[in-house]
Amino acid sequence: MYGHPHSSDAGTGLYWGVPRAWPTFSITYDYLIVGAGSAGCVLANRLSASGAFSVALIEAGGSDRHPFIRMPSAFSLPIGSARFDWRFAARAEARLADRALACPRGKVLGGSSSINGMVYVRGNPLDYERWERLGAAGWGYAQVLPYFRRSETALGAAHDDPYRGHDGPLQVSRGERANPLYDAFLEAAEQAGHQLNDDLNGARQEGFGPLEMTVAGGIRCSAARAYLQPARRRKNLTVHTGALAQALLFDGERCTGVRVRRSGSRPGSGHTDLHARREVLLAAGAIGSPQLLQCSGIGPQAALAQAGVDLRADVPEVGANLMDHLEVYLQQGSTPGVSLNRHLSLFGKGLIGARWLLRRDGLGATNHFEVGGFTRSSADQPWPDIQYHFLPAAVSYDGSRAAAGHGFQVHVGPMLSPSRGTLTIRSADTAVPPLLDFNYMSDPQDWQVFRAAIRQARDIFAQSALTPYRTQELAPGETVSSDDALDAFVSAHAESAYHPCGTCRMGSDHRAVVDPQCRVQGVTALRVIDASVFPHITNGNLNGPTIMLAERAADLVLETSLPRDPLPYYTADT
């Protein structure tokens, strides 16, 4: 019935590898899902749950069962590895001192949820009210809240909290805050005039409190672990790993399938055509989904012609509206013996890893971003537009550069930038990375919010709660205080928070790439379901909103829906 192309694990219905050379043949399923990332794993689980439909999940990467992925504190290690990361890079940005910022994306089961920093943030309720105003009908907060709840088991929330989920696949936990710097930072934020908030994912996002993480039992809870692993024994679900989607297949306007080849093989070599009786669902992410659309002839006519691709549907905003978050590290020197810098030697890291391997606890069982917060850059900003991740160490995100001596830091930056970039293919071959032009810092508002963020963070670090631990400011440095000096620091040091989105915008207008049902305009039987459809970037990390989006989109595909829940939420004027 389900047509498995090769033998699979006995009774699992899953195929976890590919032969050395793919033969040329075709096979048919009810639904094809391209991309086993945060959205794709959700879709694979929900669409196969009833057993009524055959589902194939196509992933260019391989297994996620590696200690560097499973161990939370090792999250920086898969980034930059060709085994787990597509290793995209943006074009050099003149406003960022001609630097070309990295854009890592997961190439592994679980996608970017298997290599991200595991910070779980839903976004602000007003983010989704804006989505609806921008034409994403049915995506307001009352509609999305039930899907956030369905997706999660919030281990740190009260069991009767109506805003939080208690029996969903994604386990969301809080750190132990064993290092005294965590509580000192929160106390300093309160001393600086900010409100403490015990649940940044509840009715109120604004304020400072515990940051939640997708970690359960000391192990990363990626979308693959939360959604795909429980579904592996379903006979109606097949997973193709090492399978690079080359092009979408069509019969007239109807999308009928996907042509795949083994990752790394040459164009024109053995391929497999996978067909869909019902629909093809793109969940390849903010980079992969628009790239595959453009390579298949769906996108802006001029860009496709330049890449030698025949036009199938002129959808000019495919690859437009590219958004991301930027951040800088405000680093503070500290007294000896308190920060995590004392553990960053090879010997120290070895001890952390050994304990985690034996007991799944200790410093290896956390992402170390255990507290943070959200503030507004000005009194007239209606909801938070600055995020803070506090880290009791002074070190680069990828772990490659630690400060000399001891220190701690906060990552801060604008969350709701009006700057927009573009993604454009350079070849009809999906193995060739597209051109990414983020157009960072192109709006004056970006600079204003960055200055406000740095000054607010400095004010927190200056409070008496941190006096016993604080020495000199390491970055930007105490002499960097004027607007021009702060702008120069941002230009030289701002980094991506790795949150690309928006390249297949959802809306109700004729220029939107997908409609509010996530259906691609200009063709049929094709949807995009991932962060690329965000009408506007949300306030915070994007993994949680992407999983929510896939949960609700799965119901749209199945023509069902959870009821709205119009619970109240905090706004600045209430």
Side-chain angles (χ1 to χ4, degrees), residues 396-485:
S396 61
Y397 183 88
D398 63 6
S400 63
R401 301 182 309 278
H406 305 274
F408 51 87
Q409 68 192 38
V410 66
H411 300 212
V412 357
M415 290 291 104
L416 305 176
S417 169
S419 295
R420 298 292 180 270
T422 57
L423 176 153
T424 310
I425 59 170
R426 295 185 279 196
S427 166
D429 181 4
T430 55
V432 176
L435 177 65
L436 303 178
D437 183 357
F438 280 91
N439 200 27
Y440 289 122
M441 304 300 293
S442 59
D443 191 285
Q445 178 182 319
D446 295 325
W447 301 96
Q448 296 167 9
V449 177
F450 246 127
R451 293 175 208 135
I454 294 170
R455 286 170 174 147
Q456 284 184 15
R458 273 179 163 164
D459 185 41
I460 294 172
F461 277 1
Q463 300 303 313
S464 61
L466 286 168
T467 299
Y469 310 109
R470 184 181 62 243
T471 60
Q472 77 284 0
E473 183 176 290
L474 303 177
E478 295 172 359
T479 61
V480 179
S481 58
S482 68
D483 286 358
D484 287 346

Side-chain angles (χ1 to χ4, degrees), residues 267-345:
S269 60
H271 64 265
T272 301
D273 288 348
L274 304 178
H275 291 279
R277 297 183 188 92
R278 290 175 172 266
E279 291 186 85
V280 174
L281 311 175
L282 297 191
I287 310 301
S289 287
Q291 179 188 23
L292 184 57
L293 287 176
Q294 290 187 15
C295 286
S296 303
I298 302 171
Q301 183 173 10
L304 300 192
Q306 190 169 4
V309 175
D310 292 335
L311 182 70
R312 176 171 295 278
D314 187 8
V315 186
E317 289 198 16
V318 173
N321 308 300
L322 177 58
M323 294 172 275
D324 191 17
H325 289 144
L326 286 178
E327 63 184 14
V328 293
Y329 313 153
L330 190 76
Q331 293 185 326
Q332 184 75 46
S334 73
T335 54
V338 66
S339 83
L340 296 181
N341 285 65
R342 69 188 189 277
H343 298 288
L344 296 181
S345 67

Side-chain angles (χ1 to χ4, degrees), residues 207-559:
F208 286 80
L211 282 179
E212 295 180 310
M213 65 182 97
T214 50
V215 173
I219 302 172
R220 176 194 293 270
C221 190
S222 67
R225 181 184 175 196
Y227 284 91
L228 190 57
Q229 185 175 322
R232 346 179 11 161
R233 296 196 174 277
R234 296 175 187 164
K235 294 182 179 180
N236 60 324
L237 175 61
T238 303
V239 176
H240 298 279
T241 56
L244 178 65
Q246 290 181 273
L248 301 171
L249 306 175
F250 287 87
D251 182 3
E253 292 185 350
R254 180 180 179 83
C255 185
T256 60
V258 181
R259 175 161 292 177
V260 299
R261 73 171 185 265
R262 186 182 182 190
S263 298
S265 62
R266 295 190 304 265
S269 60
H271 64 265
T272 301
D273 288 348
L274 304 178
H275 291 279
R277 297 183 188 92
R278 290 175 172 266
E279 291 186 85
V280 174
L281 311 175
L282 297 191
I287 310 301
S289 287
Q291 179 188 23
L292 184 57
L293 287 176
Q294 290 187 15
C295 286
S296 303
I298 302 171
Q301 183 173 10
L304 300 192
Q306 190 169 4
V309 175
D310 292 335
L311 182 70
R312 176 171 295 278
D314 187 8
V315 186
E317 289 198 16
V318 173
N321 308 300
L322 177 58
M323 294 172 275
D324 191 17
H325 289 144
L326 286 178
E327 63 184 14
V328 293
Y329 313 153
L330 190 76
Q331 293 185 326
Q332 184 75 46
S334 73
T335 54
V338 66
S339 83
L340 296 181
N341 285 65
R342 69 188 189 277
H343 298 288
L344 296 181
S345 67
L346 287 177
F347 180 73
K349 291 178 181 179
L351 289 178
I352 292 170
R355 176 170 174 172
W356 180 85
L357 286 169
L358 290 171
R359 299 172 50 178
R360 299 294 192 266
D361 66 3
L363 294 176
T366 173
N367 62 359
H368 300 290
F369 294 115
E370 296 187 13
V371 300
F374 298 89
T375 66
R376 289 175 285 140
S377 59
S378 64
D380 57 359
Q381 170 63 28
W383 70 94
D385 58 344
I386 297 172
Q387 182 178 13
Y388 301 76
H389 297 79
F390 177 76
L391 185 67
V395 63
S396 61
Y397 183 88
D398 63 6
S400 63
R401 301 182 309 278
H406 305 274
F408 51 87
Q409 68 192 38
V410 66
H411 300 212
V412 357
M415 290 291 104
L416 305 176
S417 169
S419 295
R420 298 292 180 270
T422 57
L423 176 153
T424 310
I425 59 170
R426 295 185 279 196
S427 166
D429 181 4
T430 55
V432 176
L435 177 65
L436 303 178
D437 183 357
F438 280 91
N439 200 27
Y440 289 122
M441 304 300 293
S442 59
D443 191 285
Q445 178 182 319
D446 295 325
W447 301 96
Q448 296 167 9
V449 177
F450 246 127
R451 293 175 208 135
I454 294 170
R455 286 170 174 147
Q456 284 184 15
R458 273 179 163 164
D459 185 41
I460 294 172
F461 277 1
Q463 300 303 313
S464 61
L466 286 168
T467 299
Y469 310 109
R470 184 181 62 243
T471 60
Q472 77 284 0
E473 183 176 290
L474 303 177
E478 295 172 359
T479 61
V480 179
S481 58
S482 68
D483 286 358
D484 287 346
L486 291 176
D487 290 351
F489 173 74
V490 169
S491 178
H493 297 285
E495 296 183 4
S496 170
Y498 308 149
H499 298 161
C501 65
T503 45
C504 296
R505 178 179 67 86
M506 181 196 303
S508 301
D509 60 288
H510 73 281
R511 292 183 60 84
V513 177
V514 301
D515 68 11
Q517 307 288 308
C518 296
R519 298 174 297 204
V520 178
Q521 302 212 63
V523 295
T524 62
L526 177 64
R527 302 191 202 222
V528 179
I529 301 171
D530 55 37
S532 68
V533 307
F534 285 15
H536 197 286
I537 199 165
T538 54
N539 188 32
N541 309 68
L542 301 191
N543 184 240
T546 302
I547 288 173
M548 173 281 295
L549 180 136
E551 283 273 17
R552 185 166 188 274
D555 272 4
L556 294 176
V557 173
L558 296 171
E559 298 182 341

Side-chain angles (χ1 to χ4, degrees), residues 200-213:
L200 300 170
N201 288 310
R204 173 179 176 141
Q205 185 190 48
E206 189 165 4
F208 286 80
L211 282 179
E212 295 180 310
M213 65 182 97

